[in-house]
Amino acid sequence: MTLSVLEPAAPAAEPVVTSRVSLVGRTRAGLALALAEIGVPEKERRMRVGQLWNWIYHYGVRDFSAMTTIGKGLRAALDERFTLDLPEVTAEQVSTDGTRKWLIRMASTGPRDRGAEIECVYIPEVDRGTLCVSSQVGCTLTCTFCHTGTQRLVRNLTCEEIVAQLMVARDRLGDFPNRSKPDGAFVPNDGGRFVSNIVFMGMGEPLYNFDGVRDAIDVISDNEGLSLGRRRITVSTSGVVPQIGPLGHEMGTMLAISLHAVRDELRNELVPLNKKYPIAELLEACRTYPGVSNAKRITFEYVMLKGVNDSDADARELVRLLKGIPAKINLIPFNPWPGTKYECSDWDRIERFSEIVFRAGYASPVRTPRGRDILAACGQLKSETEKLSARARLMLDQDEAAAAAAVAAE
Ligand code: SAH
Ligand code: SF4
C-alpha cells in the first residue's frame, strides 16, 4: 500500500514557553475555576460556563472573539489569560484505506519539556467513524506482542489531553458547524457525525488513568457539547480487575477485555498483568460488570498469534470460559512491528478459529487490519517521545518522572 504523508514531522522545536493556558478539554468545574481566576463573580459563573461550553465543544471555535454571546470585556479578559489552542499536530498520515493517523504533540508542561507526543487514529467506515484514542504516553504494562508496551517513557494524559484528541480529529475533519471536510477525505456518509464512536485502544492502559479517563468521558458525552453517547464509547483494558466495577458505575461505557489467551500460563506470558489478576478473577469481574446485558455485551479481544494461541482447542476453551457472559469476540489479526518475535496466524487458521466460536453462538468478526501501511493498526503505536536524545530525556521535568513512577507503582 502506498502512504501519503501530508505534513512531515516538524523538526524538534524549542519549547514554547507561554503563560496562557488552553481551556480546551476542561470539565465544567475546570472552566469555572478559569472564570474564578479572572474575577468573574460566583453567581455569574454557572451561566458563563454554559456559554463557554457551547462555543468550545458545540461550535469548536478557536478564538474568544468568535464568542458573540459573551460581552467584549469578558472576552478580552479571557484572551489575556487563556487560549483555545489545540495541541499541535506534528504529522498527519493517510492510509490508502482512508485511515488517518495523527501524531499529536501535547502542550509543554514546563520550561524543559518539549511536550509529549501521542498517536491517535481515525478509522472511517460508511456508517460510522471510530476514533482510537490514547490514555497514556506509552504504557507501563509490557504485553509481549504490543509495540506500545516497549515504550519506556510513560505518563498519564490529563483529561484535557484526552478530550483534545477528539477535538483535533473533529477540527481536522471539519466536523463542526459551518466547517467542511478536507477534499477527498473518507468519512461516513450516513449524515451523522464523522466521529461517531470512540475506543480507548490507543496507547496506554485506561484503567491506570482512571480519573483522567472518567473526566474526559464526562466531557465527551455531555449532551450540550460533544454529545457522544456512553454506549458509543468503549474502554479497553488488559484486565485491571479492581477498576472494572468502578468503570461501570462511574463511566457507564462499553467494556472491552484484552483476553488473548485461555490458560493462565500463556496469559501470564502474553499479558503479564495476568499474574496479578488471573483469568478466573477477570471473568468474574465481567460477569458482574454493571449494566452488562445482551444489549450491552462485553467485547473480548483476542489477538491471533501463529502457533501460540490459535489452535482449535484454544477456540473451544474460549467458548467454554465465556459461557454465561453476554459477549462478543473480536479476533484481531496480529499486527507486526519491527523486532517482534510473533507472527500473525495464517488466514485459514483464523477462519477455522472464528468458525468454532461462531458455531457456539458468538458473533466473531475478524477485525480487518486498518491503516497497517502507516503503522496505525492496533498495537503498532509508539510515539517519537521515546526517541528523544538521552540528554533531552534527562531534561524532562522531574514531575513527569514522578508521575511515571507513580503509575509504575500501581
Ligand atoms: N491497554 C489497553 C488498551 C490499548 S491496547 C488494552 O490492552 O486493552 C488496544 C488493543 O490492541 C488491545 O486489545 C491489545 O491487546 C491490542 N494489541 C496490542 N498489540 C497488538 C498487535 N501488535 N496486534 C494486534 N493487536 C494488538
Ligand atoms: Fe499496554 Fe494494552 Fe499494549 Fe498491554 S496491550 S502493553 S496494556 S497498551
Side-chain angles (χ1 to χ4, degrees), residues 58-74:
H58 178 74
Y59 287 103
V61 300
R62 298 269 72 83
D63 201 320
F64 291 109
S65 64
M67 299 185 167
T68 48
T69 53
I70 299 178
K72 277 197 179 140
L74 180 53

Side-chain angles (χ1 to χ4, degrees), residues 21-134:
V21 288
S22 177
L23 294 184
V24 175
R26 287 205 185 189
T27 58
R28 286 179 191 268
L31 291 179
L33 273 179
L35 291 166
E37 249 181 73
I38 55 167
V40 173
E42 196 177 348
K43 59 179 175 9
E44 221 185 272
R45 275 180 224 156
R46 208 183 135 92
M47 183 262 290
R48 295 296 183 203
V49 165
Q51 291 174 321
L52 282 173
W53 194 266
N54 196 249
W55 285 115
I56 297 174
Y57 297 123
H58 178 74
Y59 287 103
V61 300
R62 298 269 72 83
D63 201 320
F64 291 109
S65 64
M67 299 185 167
T68 48
T69 53
I70 299 178
K72 277 197 179 140
L74 180 53
R75 278 191 257 157
L78 283 164
D79 193 48
E80 206 166 289
R81 181 74 189 81
F82 303 105
T83 72
L84 295 171
D85 290 346
L86 293 175
E88 183 193 355
V89 175
T90 50
E92 174 176 77
Q93 289 176 288
V94 185
S95 160
T96 45
D97 66 17
T99 299
R100 279 166 192 257
K101 179 167 85 169
W102 294 290
L103 190 62
I104 301 177
R105 180 173 301 153
M106 297 302 176
S108 153
T109 54
R112 287 169 299 140
D113 171 19
R114 70 168 192 170
E117 276 178 338
I118 58 106
E119 290 176 340
C120 178
V121 179
Y122 176 65
I123 306 149
E125 291 166 76
V126 282
D127 58 350
R128 60 161 62 190
T130 304
L131 189 69
C132 179
V133 299
S134 295

Side-chain angles (χ1 to χ4, degrees), residues 259-264 267 274 278-284 286-287 300 302 313-327 329 360 362:
L259 192 62
H260 308 316
V262 290
R263 284 172 288 110
D264 281 322
R267 195 163 189 271
N274 193 70
I279 295 175
E281 281 179 34
L282 178 56
L283 295 183
E284 190 48 35
C286 293
R287 282 200 173 83
F300 288 87
Y302 197 97
D314 287 316
R316 285 193 291 267
E317 179 61 6
L318 177 60
V319 168
R320 199 190 65 78
L321 278 179
L322 299 187
K323 209 163 175 208
I325 304 177
I329 297 165
Y362 291 99

